[in-house]
Amino acid sequence: MPTIDFEASLEEQCEAIWAATRAARKAELNLRKAPPVVRLWDGEMRLQFVVQAEYSASFELIDGDTGPFEIRHPFDHACGQWLFDEYGRIERGEKRNINVTVDYCGSCLGGLLEYVELESGDDGDQVVVARFASDYERLKWYSVWANPWLDEWIQAPKVFLLPGPIPWVLSATLDFQLHREMHSSWTLPSDPMDPAQRGGLNQSTWSMVVKPISFLDSMASGALWGIAASRFKNFHEMATAMMEDGEITPVIRPWLEGDPEPWPGANLRHGTRVVSFEDRSGTYTGTSHGGTIWDGLVRTVEEFVDDMIDSTESLITDGSIPPEYYEVGAKRTQKSLPFVVWRDGDETGLESYRYRKTPSKGVQVVTGGHSMPYVNETISASIILAGALAALIPGVPDVGTGADTLLAPIYEDTLFAWMVARSAARAKNSGWTRYFEFFMEGSGKAYTISSLMVLRAGMWATRSRDSTEFSAGDGSPFLIGETGHVWLSDRAGYTIRGDKTGRIYIDRVSKVKLAWDRETAPEWTLTIGDSKDLEDPVAKAHARLESIMGSIQQLGIA
């Protein structure tokens, strides 16, 4: 890394800085010009082919979900023959599965084969189409057992329950399932995810591991808390709501020989997938959700208000510059103070955008329908008891049970059967003319944990929100990649040409896609924001609610 001689003249120092800047720029251009390295590995992660004769290829990563990979390859090539020859691979001990890794611009993507097709075109060319799923797909093939340390014939307690900071909860939950897969007899320490307490654990034969993070470190990071509750639920389905609420990103990296250790002392086999759950958003610890070209980006932190149902953004007035920005050679934008912003104009890296502003609707949410637990039962017992006491009087029959039967349709679900959550901020900001009330179904009994969740979902569905989705190209001017300026789940923004306010619109990177063919050079494309944010918010809230309610009902506390 070049250094500046501060004893030299100011002109010489400026020339040295300019020379170093041009050298860094040239290095970035050369990095983008280097072709992607696509390698095919057999089921035991032994290298079989470096793909070099493909017709086209595309690789897409999606935040919190499986991304599609595709390679279109000539059938008459040795690589195409090997892809199609499943029988031969098994006979040679290469196994049925095929792994793929892609290295480009400092990023390494991994996936596992979904299927292979052989196509014949009108011109007679035979093309092998190999479709892979990104490594996130592996997480969808684990169930969260009620007790992962016991056999299937004895599962006690009935429900797996683990509260804590979301990155730690998800890490520990997945780690327990991996122990179950590998028949581990490791004795759990007080914090099973603390790197300092995992010294006796041998993971050298595991195909997937979780990067350890201690409970205290996760708590100190400021990540939102959550509860993992499962009775044999799919890990992906259980984790999705928590990852969306806390804006936590699952990261799965292939570890190959020669790579740096994912953590000090890691003893892994070549090809092991290393999983971590990272907060790249900063929503609950401080970040920027926008600003203007005149005043710059505004730093805010999202906080829950007193009722723990509604949330609001608070201005950060004492923020500091992230120390990573002072590190020589460091490029990556940081969540606490993102800098990647595309300016819309005649010459721009923006390819397309879609922006929607939706005001909040309704100042209060109502839910319920059935009295809170023990209310109906208390009234019933009181009526029956009154009848029994009256029967102590000579000549008076016991009519308590009969009276209770007659009165039940009148008193049932009349007391403590409904709940209301009102947003004072909405009432203040909506104006004199406004929508008043929204009824959120799904609670059942009022004044229970499930009813609080329903009220929160109702507030979330009717909240004021800005939904954005835009695409940007690589190198215009920002370098896309894990070691570049911006990568999956980082915060990035853009301006809108003709917008007199000069607003900068910020959101998270939801997708990254690398694609090329024989006519087009490899290029990254980013998608910032998520098209799911443009869907019906009420329908999405019900989908989120179903997952949460399922966990609560399994606990038996609905």
Side-chain angles (χ1 to χ4, degrees), residues 430-435:
S430 295
W432 179 56
T433 58
R434 66 194 181 202
Y435 295 115

Side-chain angles (χ1 to χ4, degrees), residues 197-355:
Q197 301 183 40
R198 294 170 68 94
L201 178 60
N202 181 12
Q203 295 180 297
S204 60
T205 61
W206 295 26
S207 64
M208 188 161 69
V209 299
V210 179
K211 184 177 180 179
I213 177 174
S214 72
F215 181 90
L216 293 178
D217 287 344
S218 186
M219 187 170 61
S221 71
L224 198 66
W225 276 50
I227 299 177
S230 171
R231 182 172 170 83
F232 286 78
K233 291 181 66 175
N234 179 271
F235 177 82
H236 166 72
E237 295 175 356
M238 183 213 71
T240 296
M242 276 196 289
M243 290 191 294
E244 289 182 352
D245 281 341
E247 296 195 1
I248 301 300
T249 298
V251 180
I252 302 96
R253 296 184 179 93
W255 184 84
L256 307 178
E257 289 182 0
D259 291 347
E261 287 185 331
W263 69 89
N267 179 23
L268 305 179
R269 176 177 167 175
H270 167 79
T272 301
R273 268 51 179 183
V274 181
V275 184
S276 60
F277 297 91
E278 303 177 5
D279 178 11
R280 297 178 178 176
S281 166
T283 292
Y284 296 98
T285 57
T287 186
S288 175
H289 290 85
T292 71
I293 59 176
W294 323 113
D295 304 316
L297 298 178
V298 177
R299 294 190 65 207
T300 58
V301 60
E302 188 160 324
E303 300 174 334
F304 290 102
V305 296
D306 293 339
D307 59 9
M308 296 303 291
I309 294 175
D310 209 356
S311 58
T312 184
E313 289 183 3
S314 299
L315 183 67
I316 298 177
T317 57
D318 59 350
S320 58
I321 303 297
E324 291 84 358
Y325 287 161
Y326 295 104
E327 295 178 7
V328 177
K331 300 185 183 71
R332 187 82 171 266
T333 185
Q334 299 297 312
K335 63 183 180 182
S336 59
L337 194 64
F339 67 83
V340 174
V341 176
W342 279 269
R343 295 288 299 273
D344 187 15
D346 294 332
E347 295 183 6
T348 177
L350 285 175
E351 296 182 351
S352 63
Y353 54 76
R354 181 183 177 195
Y355 188 85

Side-chain angles (χ1 to χ4, degrees), residues 413-435:
D413 300 330
T414 57
L415 298 179
F416 299 100
W418 304 95
M419 291 182 69
V420 173
R422 180 179 174 85
S423 173
R426 290 190 191 182
K428 177 181 178 181
N429 296 326
S430 295
W432 179 56
T433 58
R434 66 194 181 202
Y435 295 115

Side-chain angles (χ1 to χ4, degrees), residues 26-37 103-106 474 514 516 521-524:
K26 184 176 180 181
E28 287 186 7
L29 292 175
N30 290 338
L31 184 64
R32 293 184 61 238
K33 290 178 180 178
V37 179
D103 296 276
Y104 185 60
C105 289
D474 190 18
L514 175 64
W516 72 90
E523 186 173 7
W524 290 109

